[in-house]
Amino acid sequence: MSAPSNPAPRGDPIPRAGVIAWPVRHSLSPRIHGFWLKRHGLAGSYEPLAVPLAIFEPYLRCLLSEGYAGANVSLPHKLSALGLCDRLSERAKRIGAVNTLVFSDGIIEGDNTDGFGFLENLAQSAPATWRPADGPAVLLGAGGAARAVVAALLDAGVPSIRLVNRTLARAEELAEAFGAAVEPLDWTGAAAALEGANVLVNSTSLGLEGQPPLDLDLAALPPGALVTDIVYAPMETPLLRAAKARGNPVVDGLGMLLHQARPGFEAWFGVAPEVDAELRAAVLAPKTLP
């Protein structure tokens, strides 16, 4: 294992953070945090850290010893990070995964800001008349992201969640963790589950670039139901395009990524950043060659 490149000396007052993933080249997090550092004129850095799963723990200890302020954790490390934290936020415990680490006095604190990002994205981009408590939600998928979405929806006052997954057993397992408000359903019941729904959320990879499109008949979905997709490549997924064509309000997935970054940035660099059109444009700008 190699130490972080150009590690800051212990006691260096300039904060450093980064995103740990394998691979990491696709991550937009360095663009997000780099934009905020520049906007606020802050001394600090945020680095892409490519770390294989086999050396994740010693690498994390190395960051801690080298004076890093913390890190974001992406695939495939979110579950591993959970077991390495000295302290966990309540939402990290509830979701069962960590995506944000804060280092302080040799202590690793773990948080999960995915649900926060999901709700903040809806609060910023959904129509002002839409309210979570106005009806049931339909959630497609039962993976790691789905756990954060379920927790966020319930906390926001959604009365019930119809959880649809190709593997029913996995949906049942997730539903058991959150109680009677979550109803597990087989994928064959997806179209019927849309009847009376207030929001439809896709947390699967269907519709992602390089993946098959999400093939779902939206006929039963009420015209006022909100449709959102956590996928942001492409920005307008086939699901969002189909929902928009029939008049449903839609929210793309990029905002979830942007908003989930806010708590970490504030913890590491001491400034509460904002998500706005300028940030979105900077994150989506074509990459330039060095």
Side-chain angles (χ1 to χ4, degrees), residues 14-61:
I14 299 176
R16 301 182 71 181
V19 55
I20 306 172
W22 186 261
V24 76
R25 62 184 178 274
H26 66 283
S27 177
L28 295 175
S29 292
R31 283 195 177 202
I32 298 169
H33 292 275
F35 175 88
W36 284 331
L37 286 168
K38 184 177 180 181
R39 166 179 278 183
H40 295 287
L42 299 175
S45 67
Y46 186 94
E47 307 153 15
L49 304 170
V51 183
L53 187 58
I55 63 168
F56 173 67
E57 180 174 357
Y59 197 97
L60 192 63
R61 302 295 180 192

Side-chain angles (χ1 to χ4, degrees), residues 38-126:
K38 184 177 180 181
R39 166 179 278 183
H40 295 287
L42 299 175
S45 67
Y46 186 94
E47 307 153 15
L49 304 170
V51 183
L53 187 58
I55 63 168
F56 173 67
E57 180 174 357
Y59 197 97
L60 192 63
R61 302 295 180 192
C62 184
L63 294 181
L64 184 64
S65 67
E66 294 293 350
Y68 275 64
N72 284 123
V73 182
S74 191
L75 295 176
H77 302 304
K78 289 186 176 184
L79 291 179
S80 298
L82 186 77
L84 298 176
C85 292
D86 302 295
R87 288 198 290 261
L88 290 170
S89 69
E90 288 304 314
R91 56 191 178 191
K93 292 177 185 176
R94 190 178 182 198
I95 294 168
V98 161
N99 77 334
T100 304
L101 302 173
V102 178
F103 304 152
S104 177
D105 299 323
I107 298 297
I108 302 175
E109 300 184 45
D111 193 10
N112 191 305
T113 64
D114 285 335
F116 168 85
F118 174 78
L119 287 182
E120 288 294 295
N121 186 32
L122 297 191
Q124 184 176 54
S125 303

